[in-house]
Amino acid sequence: MQIHDRPLAQRIEWLLTLSRDHAETFGSPSAWLARERYLAAHPTRIVAMKCMDGRIHLPHATRTPLGIIRPFRNLGGIFHLGWPYLGEMLAESVSEAARAGHGVLMLITYHFSRGERSRGCAGFDCDSQAALAHAYEIRAQAEQLFGADHRHVYPLVCGFETDSDALIIHGDDGKTLDIGSLSADQADGLAQRITTLCPDMPSATLRDLLPLLEGNLAHVEALRGVSRALDIEHREWVICVGRGFDFLHVPNTALIVGPYSPNLSEPVGTAASIIDANMRAGRIPDDGFMLLASTPYQDIGVDRARAELKSRFLSDFASQVIRRDHPALAERMVRHTAVVHWPTRRLDLLDTHDMSR
């Protein structure tokens, strides 16, 4: 029996165990040393604008140590850098890198499936061209924020083909580099290919992009001929609101709403509609769903207290939206409120409210 078919209590315990295992792996001596060695050799900071879809697991697909790529995740990968909170977070990330003397590589991703259109991004109704157009809009906004010369922040539009896990790099002139079209013996030519595709990319950025592409090529090569479950059917049963969900890279499990949009009620309502549809179609049991609110923090004291306050606000806000838009569904909601100690990725539960009782 797959996890999606189990009673809700078992599904929730499975998810919390997944979080604990992720924190244990992330905090292991080997993982810590891997991050330190990687950053010493490749100090360019990497941020990724990406969809909440669990298939878009960039560290796994690029064979990069956990904690190197900083993800910004939202339904459909839909962002606007003018959103106050999002813009402030990005600006602070760039300023922090600049103070340390490093540039920033900003991966602006969209995803699609070559094998079946319906496996594409639901946020764009599986229209890959619409998703690509939105990625270019984000790129233009990044140029407004950080400069069109790309000297300090390089916004790079990247496709992610979910059937093969291959990256597609988009250049300025409309040309692309599809990692899935290359063979393993072409790894040595990646630097020249990127230089041709992105001639204005700073040498330090190119140096630190190459390990991602080389890792992706090795990953794609290892998957060739391997039978994979492509998870066509949406079976999400968790709504996550906030940040700190790095452990959730399991396909068709969770709908992640980042706390970025000024109008959070819209994506929360959309996520609830998807959960409701999944129950009605019998794709998941109708015994309930999980609402998980989370906020990361760095330090004890005020920083953690603020994270707790924010998580409780997000949980209350999301539950109110669900009660208003889907009152029957709200009766089957189990709320968990948490904070995440970001240096260790440890998820600490604060509150649990079972609306089904």
Side-chain angles (χ1 to χ4, degrees):
M1 183 170 58
Q2 295 183 349
I3 187 62
H4 300 81
D5 299 320
R6 294 177 183 174
L8 182 61
Q10 292 183 25
R11 282 179 275 155
I12 290 175
E13 182 54 38
W14 168 85
L15 182 141
L16 297 177
T17 299
L18 190 68
S19 172
R20 289 191 290 269
D21 291 346
H22 175 77
E24 183 176 345
T25 300
F26 183 87
S28 69
S30 179
W32 182 85
L33 287 169
R35 287 192 296 275
E36 293 297 300
R37 291 186 63 186
Y38 190 96
L39 288 172
H42 305 286
T44 299
R45 302 301 189 249
I46 303 173
V47 299
M49 317 301 293
K50 60 191 291 290
C51 181
M52 55 82 205
D53 194 307
R55 294 173 295 177
I56 322 303
H57 192 348
L58 291 176
H60 176 67
T62 60
R63 299 190 172 182
T64 306
L66 292 173
I68 300 299
I69 300 173
R70 181 178 183 181
F72 289 81
R73 302 171 73 183
N74 202 27
L75 273 166
I78 297 172
F79 301 92
H80 192 295
L81 303 194
W83 292 342
Y85 182 57
L86 175 62
E88 289 168 8
M89 288 188 64
L90 281 172
E92 178 54 34
S93 295
V94 171
S95 296
E96 181 183 339
R99 288 192 293 268
H102 307 308
V104 174
L105 173 62
M106 184 177 179
L107 302 177
I108 305 168
T109 69
Y110 71 97
H111 69 93
F112 68 101
S113 161
R114 283 202 174 97
E116 177 59 55
R117 186 180 186 276
S118 64
R119 290 199 292 265
C121 183
F124 290 95
D125 195 26
C126 301
D127 184 340
S128 61
Q129 289 305 305
L132 174 59
H134 180 68
Y136 272 109
E137 290 175 6
I138 298 174
R139 184 178 189 268
Q141 293 167 8
E143 290 176 335
Q144 284 184 275
L145 277 178
F146 306 118
D149 58 4
H150 302 160
R151 290 178 56 198
H152 309 290
V153 176
Y154 199 94
L156 186 65
V157 174
C158 302
F160 191 95
E161 202 285 303
T162 54
D163 293 353
S164 64
D165 284 1
L167 289 173
I168 296 94
I169 309 301
H170 289 260
D172 290 338
D173 58 0
K175 294 182 180 179
T176 61
L177 171 62
D178 183 353
I179 298 298
S181 69
L182 304 180
S183 58
D185 59 6
Q186 293 178 289
D188 291 341
L190 282 171
Q192 183 56 49
R193 290 174 186 269
I194 293 297
T195 299
T196 301
L197 200 65
C198 307
D200 63 341
M201 182 176 288
S203 58
T205 305
L206 173 61
R207 175 199 65 208
D208 296 343
L209 170 63
L210 284 176
L212 275 66
L213 302 184
E214 292 165 354
N216 186 234
L217 179 56
H219 175 75
V220 170
E221 187 70 17
L223 290 179
R224 295 191 202 279
V226 176
S227 178
R228 304 176 68 199
L230 298 177
D231 295 291
I232 298 172
E233 190 175 49
H234 282 278
R235 305 184 70 184
E236 293 90 353
W237 54 274
V238 186
I239 298 176
C240 296
V241 184
R243 298 167 51 225
F245 304 110
D246 283 22
F247 66 95
L248 265 175
H249 280 100
V250 182
N252 298 342
T253 296
L255 299 160
I256 297 175
V257 179
Y260 309 118
S261 169
N263 181 17
L264 276 180
S265 60
E266 183 176 351
V268 169
T270 299
S273 296
I274 294 172
I275 297 288
D276 188 49
N278 287 344
M279 286 187 184
R280 292 177 183 275
R283 291 188 288 264
I284 59 174
D286 62 0
D287 60 345
F289 73 99
M290 181 183 190
L291 172 65
L292 175 61
S294 168
T295 302
Y297 71 97
Q298 289 282 345
D299 305 308
I300 60 173
V302 173
D303 193 31
R304 174 171 170 125
R306 184 174 180 273
E308 292 181 5
L309 196 64
K310 186 172 182 178
S311 286
R312 290 191 170 106
F313 167 80
L314 290 171
S315 181
D316 289 342
F317 179 88
S319 66
Q320 288 168 12
V321 171
I322 295 169
R323 288 193 192 98
R324 181 195 69 199
D325 295 348
H326 299 275
L329 181 68
E331 296 300 319
R332 290 170 283 177
M333 175 171 59
V334 177
R335 292 168 54 190
H336 284 264
T337 309
V339 293
V340 176
H341 183 235
W342 196 242
T344 61
R345 301 303 197 266
R346 187 187 69 243
L347 183 80
D348 295 330
L349 292 179
L350 305 175
D351 304 314
T352 300
H353 301 283
D354 188 344
M355 306 304 294
S356 64
R357 292 178 182 174

